[in-house]
Amino acid sequence: MDDDGQQAEYEPGSGILVVFGRQLKRLREWAGMERSEFGSKTGYSPATIASFEQGRRIPPPAFIDKADEVLGAHGVLKEMKEEVARAQYPAFFQDAARLEAAAVGLHVYATKAVPGLLQTAEYARAVFTMWRPLLGEETVEQRITARLDRQEIFAQRRLPTISFVIEEALLRRPLGGKAVMRGQLEQILLHGQRRNVEIQVMPTEREEHAGLEGPFTLIETREGRRIAYVEAYKDSRLHTDRKVVREIEEQYGILRAQALTPRESLAFVEKLLGEA
């Protein structure tokens, strides 16, 4: 499940970011602080404060908490923290990101690029800078930060069950260059050692393949709901209808049977790493 490419509802300079920025500026002025003074108290430069106030950059949660405290906002800024955080994702991905973060089970089939949850910062940068139409520099930086933030799921105390089926071609395509891909393969091996993570490679030479319709992610919530997130150009969506989700679950089960086993897959990645 990835947030690649499609245009965000909350692009810099619009939506919730503008509302938050206006409130931030108003509260700062009411407190009688210049940007330089406010920046020194929150740990940010005046230029960055200006970007937050103009809705051009997404303020991190820690800044919002500190700003609320410094300005005596009594929770006004904190109330917007969740919506501001959602702005780092494209509109089509925001609900999926929320479900992913709280999932007890995630099962990903990847055909376009190494799954976002496994990506290094360098690989993610290559993905976002290569996208067409071109993304702005600030958007690229926001997307990289958001992608890495998603990987906090691996540090949760209550570990979710996570599995991946990755097409072999993705592991052979050196996006960003050989050095970037080497680091990416190393990261896949590290995640593959986690007790709650299983990574499988779908060999290109397989004569049977159950996933020809494209990438998807299966999500299981703490409440036992099963949801499918299906990626498509400008039409990625969440499916909750049990019949649709069951069909995708069936595809994934067959894909796992057709792919290399987790142990064989890690050995395959190690072999590629040796060749890189």
Side-chain angles (χ1 to χ4, degrees), residues 170-201:
L170 304 184
L171 304 178
R172 292 187 177 278
R173 182 177 299 131
L175 290 184
K178 291 185 177 180
V180 169
M181 197 61 206
R182 182 176 180 82
Q184 182 58 70
L185 293 174
E186 290 173 346
Q187 175 131 311
I188 289 172
L189 287 175
L190 287 173
H191 284 305
Q193 301 300 322
R194 295 178 182 273
R195 292 188 299 115
N196 64 316
V197 176
E198 291 190 331
I199 297 174
Q200 293 180 253
V201 176

Side-chain angles (χ1 to χ4, degrees), residues 1-2 6 91-97 99 112 215-219 227-241 244-245 248:
M1 176 164 58
D2 290 316
Q6 301 178 47
F92 73 93
F93 187 71
Q94 289 168 8
D95 289 337
L99 290 167
K112 298 178 180 179
F216 56 78
T217 297
L218 295 166
I219 306 168
I227 300 164
Y229 175 78
V230 178
E231 298 178 43
Y233 183 65
K234 294 189 180 298
D235 196 31
S236 297
R237 62 180 63 187
L238 290 166
H239 293 274
T240 58
D241 180 81
V244 174
V245 175
I248 298 172

Side-chain angles (χ1 to χ4, degrees), residues 66-123:
K66 186 66 174 178
D68 196 278
E69 175 188 336
V70 168
L71 297 175
H74 304 290
V76 170
L77 296 178
K78 289 182 179 179
E79 285 182 357
M80 290 185 278
K81 187 161 63 172
E82 184 176 338
E83 280 298 305
V84 169
R86 282 160 59 90
Q88 63 188 327
Y89 300 111
F92 73 93
F93 187 71
Q94 289 168 8
D95 289 337
R98 175 178 53 82
L99 290 167
E100 177 188 82
V104 298
L106 281 173
H107 306 286
V108 182
Y109 171 50
T111 67
K112 298 178 180 179
V114 170
L117 287 176
L118 299 177
Q119 288 182 12
T120 64
E122 294 77 15
Y123 186 95

Side-chain angles (χ1 to χ4, degrees), residues 4-5 112-114 119 121-132 135 140 147 175-176:
D4 295 333
K112 298 178 180 179
V114 170
Q119 288 182 12
E122 294 77 15
Y123 186 95
R125 184 177 301 280
V127 169
F128 289 128
T129 55
M130 291 179 189
W131 190 261
R132 296 297 186 275
L135 300 174
V140 168
R147 178 149 297 181
L175 290 184

Side-chain angles (χ1 to χ4, degrees), residues 1-112:
M1 176 164 58
D2 290 316
D3 53 336
D4 295 333
Q6 301 178 47
Q7 290 298 310
E9 177 182 335
Y10 297 139
E11 289 292 346
S14 65
I16 187 64
L17 299 182
V18 169
V19 174
F20 177 86
R22 287 173 179 169
Q23 291 285 9
L24 180 66
K25 182 179 180 180
R26 184 176 291 114
L27 288 165
R28 177 180 60 77
E29 290 177 341
W30 283 349
M33 290 188 198
E34 296 294 331
R35 283 173 179 158
S36 58
E37 180 185 359
F38 179 53
S40 68
K41 291 184 176 182
T42 56
Y44 290 84
S45 69
T48 300
I49 298 298
S51 293
F52 291 158
E53 291 182 348
Q54 294 161 11
R56 293 188 291 105
R57 290 186 63 178
I58 298 175
F63 167 80
I64 296 175
D65 289 339
K66 186 66 174 178
D68 196 278
E69 175 188 336
V70 168
L71 297 175
H74 304 290
V76 170
L77 296 178
K78 289 182 179 179
E79 285 182 357
M80 290 185 278
K81 187 161 63 172
E82 184 176 338
E83 280 298 305
V84 169
R86 282 160 59 90
Q88 63 188 327
Y89 300 111
F92 73 93
F93 187 71
Q94 289 168 8
D95 289 337
R98 175 178 53 82
L99 290 167
E100 177 188 82
V104 298
L106 281 173
H107 306 286
V108 182
Y109 171 50
T111 67
K112 298 178 180 179

